[in-house]
Amino acid sequence: MTLPYLLLDIDGVLIPFPAADGSTPRTHIRHEVLPSGRAPSDTVSVWLDPNHGTLLTDLLASSLITPVWCTSWRKDATTIIGPLLGLPDFPYLDLPRAQITTSHPDGYLWKRDHVDAWLGESAVAWIDDDFTTLDHTWAAERTARGHPTLLVQPTPYAGLQPDHLSRVREWAAMVGGGRGWRPKASRGA
């Protein structure tokens, strides 16, 4: 039996955006990281809540879902962000480097077309801060066709909260831990 997927974004979810005054949540700790392709002197500051690692690890230990990074951080999610949070290694969706000026060039989140093709008929809980009404409509339509789809949308200035993961856990348990849901033969993640 295939478990539902948990697609997890980073920016605005695990790394909150600074408030208008430049502040970040007090729960988050600053880290200097070096994403792939950058010069050694060109580090990036990120703020991460160490509690997220524990909360996500607990969810993963439930064996209700299969985690996959779904972020423009791509492989760096696995090699940089995950280790900083103490997360086990899990795959990432190899999203293209889109040449866009908005996250919603067609009125919905740019990642969605890639996610939809990759998922096939698999059940999914997707956590991202940047969904639009069209994304929520897509999720409802997928669910109506028998492909359970939960979108969880944190506020980008606060990021992921414990209740978001509680919703995912409850949803995954209701879906039945993947009973009856099978992915397409090839995944590529």
Side-chain angles (χ1 to χ4, degrees):
M1 300 275 168
T2 300
L3 297 175
Y5 287 101
L6 169 64
L7 298 182
L8 187 60
D9 184 31
I10 291 179
D11 293 319
V13 174
L14 297 177
I15 302 172
F17 292 112
D21 65 0
S23 66
T24 57
R26 292 181 181 198
T27 53
H28 288 62
I29 297 170
R30 181 180 176 186
H31 300 271
E32 289 297 315
V33 300
L34 184 61
S36 299
R38 295 179 79 104
S41 62
D42 195 16
T43 60
V44 174
S45 298
V46 298
W47 287 261
L48 295 166
D49 181 347
N51 292 320
H52 284 158
T54 302
L55 292 169
L56 285 163
T57 299
D58 287 348
L59 176 61
L60 301 180
S62 73
S63 298
L64 292 170
I65 50 105
T66 300
V68 177
W69 293 110
C70 185
T71 172
S72 58
W73 282 80
R74 296 166 191 82
K75 185 177 182 179
D76 288 342
T78 298
T79 60
I80 296 174
I81 303 302
L84 286 172
L85 291 172
L87 294 173
D89 189 27
F90 54 87
Y92 64 97
L93 194 59
D94 196 13
L95 297 168
R97 296 196 185 277
Q99 300 298 315
I100 55 177
T101 57
T102 174
S103 294
H104 313 107
D106 297 311
Y108 55 86
L109 184 57
W110 70 273
K111 300 174 191 176
R112 196 180 88 202
D113 289 331
H114 309 287
V115 165
D116 197 30
W118 181 83
L119 279 174
E121 297 179 353
S122 298
V124 64
W126 186 1
I127 303 176
D128 200 299
D129 65 299
D130 210 10
F131 297 121
T132 70
T133 301
L134 292 176
D135 295 307
H136 290 280
T137 300
W138 167 82
E141 290 170 353
R142 271 189 107 247
T143 299
R145 289 192 313 270
H147 317 303
T149 304
L150 172 69
L151 300 185
V152 177
Q153 189 167 4
T155 304
Y157 302 99
L160 187 68
Q161 301 297 309
D163 63 305
H164 296 129
L165 295 178
S166 294
R167 284 181 56 207
V168 170
R169 183 186 300 268
E170 291 168 12
W171 173 87
M174 183 180 69
V175 167
R179 283 190 299 265
W181 301 104
R182 290 180 174 75
K184 291 166 57 172
S186 64
R187 277 281 164 231

